[in-house]
């Protein structure tokens, strides 16, 4: 049966460590040889408690940590002890015969804190289990071998300047890899090594806080704080680690702006226009960002009227600019005060104010050469119309403020007076008319007058002169429009036919002051009544006008009330028409009279003129065409030499035939016997030409000359037809058509080859060719 398993405690005091095996709980109560009642023992498996191995121990030999033994082991060597599980055979080894367990190497708890093993006793011979396997745990006992570390360090933090004492800055955290459940190896305490007296740290939590009040960023902006974490509760012998915390003081608006000087002096030329920069003012503010933004203003009213000040795009500098034009002769200097103020003010720091500062500014105006200045900004002159050229219009004047005695010269810019209606005296600026003016044509004349210093032509200025043409009564009144009206033949006496309005182009006698009057008397066919408002009413008289085919012409007299009074006469045409019941016109006698059944005389004259023009164009075209045909006939019949020159083409010459032996193309039957001497090449142009026959005396005959030249070409065997050598080739001896080539053709008795059939039979297209080649040779002289 199973024996008792005993666990041994191994005291390894000589090695400086102890391996402990917990005492087993025995499965029996009593033993052999004991008196008293016999207790029954129950079979149990192995029972192991935890035992420990100190980490980081290293010795020359393996360390014994325990021993296995079974009561079935009689010491005969038949029992073998086995050890399996984590680290069995490598970290932990067992003596199979004695059951002693040893540790072979140094252990690190931070790598592995415990090992789970199985122990078993078996028969050495058969490996039969003598006891069931039992599990036990070996724990690695911790020692303080790891210093604290800050995994997130180094740290960076920001805290506002002027913060109160105890303001939280940041929390630092250190980690210790040792066992926190065993001893004080992992108990940490935080302290400040560097950074006192400005900052402190909570020993337990690691929260960094400010230790003094009113830390000023402008004095010191950044602090480097060193924090230490020490284990073993901070006692001596503990391990420690440190980290750095960079603390930056953020800015607050705790400093007012300050001008570095109390008086600023600038100068500006009097010709500087509005917006010209005079100078920059900069108040110093040691704060940063928005806390240093400033606004500038001019306190005195005198300076604010002439100058203005604004802040630049960075919000730091004040830009002093000209607001109104300056004049050295009027005022030579300005003195005023400028204030700089912070735009953002923190109420928590009002006690450190006021957040503004004032400085004085003096601006000196410098004299500069100035152009002449006119006495008025613009001139408004007037002149009556119809005045003779040379009439005085007005006078303009300019002066040199730098030198009042300097002479000025005046002129009118041509583009402002393109019609040359005015002239100006160069010395005194007197403007006169150059032509007669008509107000009805143009009322206003806008001139640009140039004034130039005589001593310096570069100094000049311009002014606008508006000249108004005043009206005179020089236009008689007239009707506002031509009146051609009709009246129904059935109209009642006294009926209003038309309101006639008058127009007067003058201003003196306008249309409201024009009077109108028609024919008066018992014979008047119509009545004209003056409305006294520049219009008149045309009425039917009490006795209706007798109907007639021709329209009535009503004379109307118009006159104005100007000085002198002018009048004119106009005519109103009135037609008496037949009307429909609704009052619309149906027909008028003048229409019936002016609508004949045939064409009018003017239309007939136009038609006759067009026909005559077309006939003349046709006759001219026929005459030109006939003249052209006669010129062509003369050219064809008489001027033959031009045609000969046109067709005098001898072909490509040597380049066309040099690569071919044209002897094979000749007809061997018609070839002439070879001449004595070296054979003459017929595929190249000969160096010498055959002598030409003399021209026959007497008058020139073109046909005879052509026949002579043709005979010379046929009788010259050294000149082949280069232009046709590759076209008309010899077809062979057996051809029924014979040879088409002219290379070996012989000359006839007369020297002129005759065609196979008369050329006259070939039609009119070959008539000229028949006349040239078919002409008989003249008899020999």
């Amino acid at each position: 049966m199973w024996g008792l398993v005993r666990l041994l405690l191994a005291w390894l005091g000589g090695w400086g460590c102890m391996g402990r095996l917990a005492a087993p709980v025995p499965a029996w109560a009593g033993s052999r040889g004991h008196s008293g009642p016999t207790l029954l023992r129950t079979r149990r498996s192995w029972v192991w408690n935890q035992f420990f191995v100190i980490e980081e121990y290293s010795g020359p030999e393996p360390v014994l940590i325990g021993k296995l033994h079974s009561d079935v082991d009689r010491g005969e060597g038949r029992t073998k002890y086995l050890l399996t599980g984590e680290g069995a055979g490598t970290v932990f080894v067992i003596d199979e015969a004695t059951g002693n367990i040893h540790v072979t190497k140094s252990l690190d708890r931070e790598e592995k804190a415990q090992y789970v093993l199985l122990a078993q006793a078996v028969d050495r011979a058969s490996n039969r289990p003598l006891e069931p396997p039992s599990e036990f745990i070996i724990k690695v006992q911790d020692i303080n071998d790891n210093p604290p570390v800050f995994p997130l360090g180094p740290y960076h933090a920001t805290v506002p300047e002027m913060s109160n004492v105890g303001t939280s800055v940041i929390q630092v955290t250190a980690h210790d890899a040792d066992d926190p459940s065993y001893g004080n190896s992992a108990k940490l305490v935080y302290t400040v090594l560097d950074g006192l007296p400005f900052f402190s740290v909570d020993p337990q939590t690691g929260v960094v806080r400010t230790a003094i009040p009113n830390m000023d960023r402008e004095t010191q902006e950044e602090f480097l704080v060193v924090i230490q974490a020490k284990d073993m509760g901070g006692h001596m012998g503990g391990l420690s680690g440190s980290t750095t915390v960079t603390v930056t003081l953020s800015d607050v608006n705790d400093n007012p702006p300050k001008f570095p000087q109390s008086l600023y002096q600038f100068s500006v030329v009097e010709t500087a226009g509005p917006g010209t920069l005079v100078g920059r003012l900069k108040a110093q503010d040691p704060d940063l960002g928005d806390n240093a933004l400033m606004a500038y203003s001019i306190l005195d009213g005198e300076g604010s009227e002439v100058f203005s000040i604004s802040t630049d795009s960075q919000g730091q500098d004040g830009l002093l600019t000209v607001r109104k034009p300056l004049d050295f002769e009027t005022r030579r200097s300005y003195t005023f005060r400028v204030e700089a103020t912070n735009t953002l003010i923190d109420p928590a720091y009002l006690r450190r104010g006021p957040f503004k500062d004032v400085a004085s500014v003096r601006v000196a105006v410098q004299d500069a050469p100035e152009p002449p200045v006119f006495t008025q900004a613009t001139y408004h002159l007037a002149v009556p119309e119809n005045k003779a050229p040379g009439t005085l219009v007005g006078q303009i004047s300019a002066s040199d403020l730098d030198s009042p005695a300097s002479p000025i010269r005046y002129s009118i810019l041509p583009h402002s007076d393109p019609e040359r209606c005015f002239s100006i005296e160069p010395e005194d600026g007197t403007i006169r008319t150059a032509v007669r003016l008509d107000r009805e044509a143009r009322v206003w004349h806008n001139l640009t007058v140039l004034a130039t210093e005589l001593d310096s032509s570069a100094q000049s200025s311009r002014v606008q002169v508006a000249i108004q043409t005043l009206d005179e009564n020089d236009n008689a009144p007239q009707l506002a429009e031509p009146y051609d009206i009709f009246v129904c033949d059935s109209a009642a006496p006294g009926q209003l036919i038309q309101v006639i309005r008058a127009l007067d182009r003058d201003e003196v006698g306008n249309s409201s002051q024009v009077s109108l009057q028609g024919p008066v008397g018992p014979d008047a066919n119509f009545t004209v009544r003056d409305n006294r408002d520049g219009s008149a009413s045309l009425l039917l008289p009490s006795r209706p006008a007798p109907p007639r085919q021709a329209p009535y012409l009503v004379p109307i007299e118009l006159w104005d009330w100007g000085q002198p009074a002018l009048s004119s006469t106009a005519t109103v045409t009135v037609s008496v028409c037949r009307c429909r019941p609704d009052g619309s016109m149906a027909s008028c006698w003048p229409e019936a009279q002016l609508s004949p059944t045939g064409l009018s005389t003017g239309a007939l004259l136009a038609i006759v003129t067009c026909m005559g023009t077309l006939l003349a164009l046709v006759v001219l075209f026929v005459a030109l065409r006939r003249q052209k045909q006669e010129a062509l006939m003369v050219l064809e019949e008489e001027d033959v030499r031009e045609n000969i020159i046109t067709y005098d083409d001898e072909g490509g010459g040597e380049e066309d035939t040099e690569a071919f032996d044209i002897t094979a193309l000749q007809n061997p039957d018609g070839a002439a016997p070879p001449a004595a001497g070296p054979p003459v090449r017929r595929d190249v142009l000969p160096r010498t030409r055959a002598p030409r026959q003399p021209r026959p005396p007497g008058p020139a005959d073109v046909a005879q000359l052509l026949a002579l030249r043709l005979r010379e070409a046929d009788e010259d065997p050294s000149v082949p037809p280069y232009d046709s050598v590759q076209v008309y080739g010899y077809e062979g001896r057996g051809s029924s058509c014979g040879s088409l080539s002219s290379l070996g053709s012989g000359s006839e008795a007369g020297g002129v080859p005759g065609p196979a059939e008369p050329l006259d039979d070939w039609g009119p297209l070959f008539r000229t060719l028949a006349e040239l080649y078919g002409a008989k040779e003249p008899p020999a002289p």
Side-chain angles (χ1 to χ4, degrees), residues 259-283:
F259 283 106
Q261 58 192 70
S262 59
L263 177 63
Y264 291 84
Q265 296 186 2
F266 303 101
S267 61
V268 61
V269 182
E270 63 174 337
T271 56
T276 303
L277 179 64
V278 178
R280 286 176 174 262
L281 289 82
K282 182 176 180 61

Side-chain angles (χ1 to χ4, degrees), residues 465-548:
V465 179
I467 300 177
Q468 181 182 11
T469 306
L470 301 179
D471 185 49
E472 291 185 350
N473 192 21
D474 58 344
N475 291 277
Q478 57 187 3
L479 295 180
E481 58 179 295
Y483 289 95
D484 188 357
I485 56 182
F486 75 93
V487 61
C488 297
D489 55 359
S490 61
Q495 178 179 344
L496 176 64
I497 301 175
Q498 179 73 37
V499 176
I500 301 172
R501 300 188 180 278
L503 176 65
D504 193 336
R505 298 176 60 189
D506 295 324
E507 290 182 349
V508 176
N510 50 36
S511 59
S512 63
Q513 296 176 338
V514 175
S515 299
L516 298 90
Q517 182 179 358
V520 295
D523 298 335
N525 296 321
F526 298 92
T527 301
V528 178
R529 186 180 62 193
D530 189 6
N531 297 330
R532 300 187 181 279
D533 59 353
S535 66
S537 299
L538 182 63
L539 307 173
L540 282 176
S542 58
R543 180 179 57 82
R548 66 177 185 179

Side-chain angles (χ1 to χ4, degrees), residues 381-395 412 417 420-425 429-438 447 467-470 472:
L381 305 178
V383 60
E385 65 176 334
N386 299 322
K387 294 298 181 180
T391 302
L392 177 63
V393 178
Q395 185 179 13
I412 298 176
D417 187 20
R420 303 296 189 271
C421 297
F422 300 91
S423 63
I424 189 171
E425 292 293 335
T430 302
I431 299 178
R432 300 180 182 275
T433 60
V435 295
R436 291 183 179 272
L437 303 180
D438 185 5
L447 307 181
I467 300 177
Q468 181 182 11
T469 306
L470 301 179
E472 291 185 350

Side-chain angles (χ1 to χ4, degrees), residues 30 96 323 338 400 422 429 456 485 523 736:
E96 296 179 354
R323 185 175 183 179
V338 174
D400 185 4
F422 300 91
S456 177
I485 56 182
D523 298 335
S736 58

Side-chain angles (χ1 to χ4, degrees), residues 8-10 12 19-21 51-53 63-67 92 101-103 117 136 138:
L8 303 178
L9 293 176
L12 305 177
R20 297 179 297 171
L21 289 177
F51 63 98
F52 302 85
V53 177
V63 180
L64 176 64
I65 63 173
K67 181 177 182 180
F92 305 100
I101 301 176
H102 295 80
V103 178
L117 301 172
F136 65 97
I138 300 177

Side-chain angles (χ1 to χ4, degrees), residues 292-310:
L293 296 179
M294 287 173 284
Y296 295 86
S297 59
I298 299 177
L299 299 181
D300 299 333
E302 177 187 1
S304 61
E305 294 178 358
V306 182
F307 300 94
S308 62
I309 190 168
S310 60

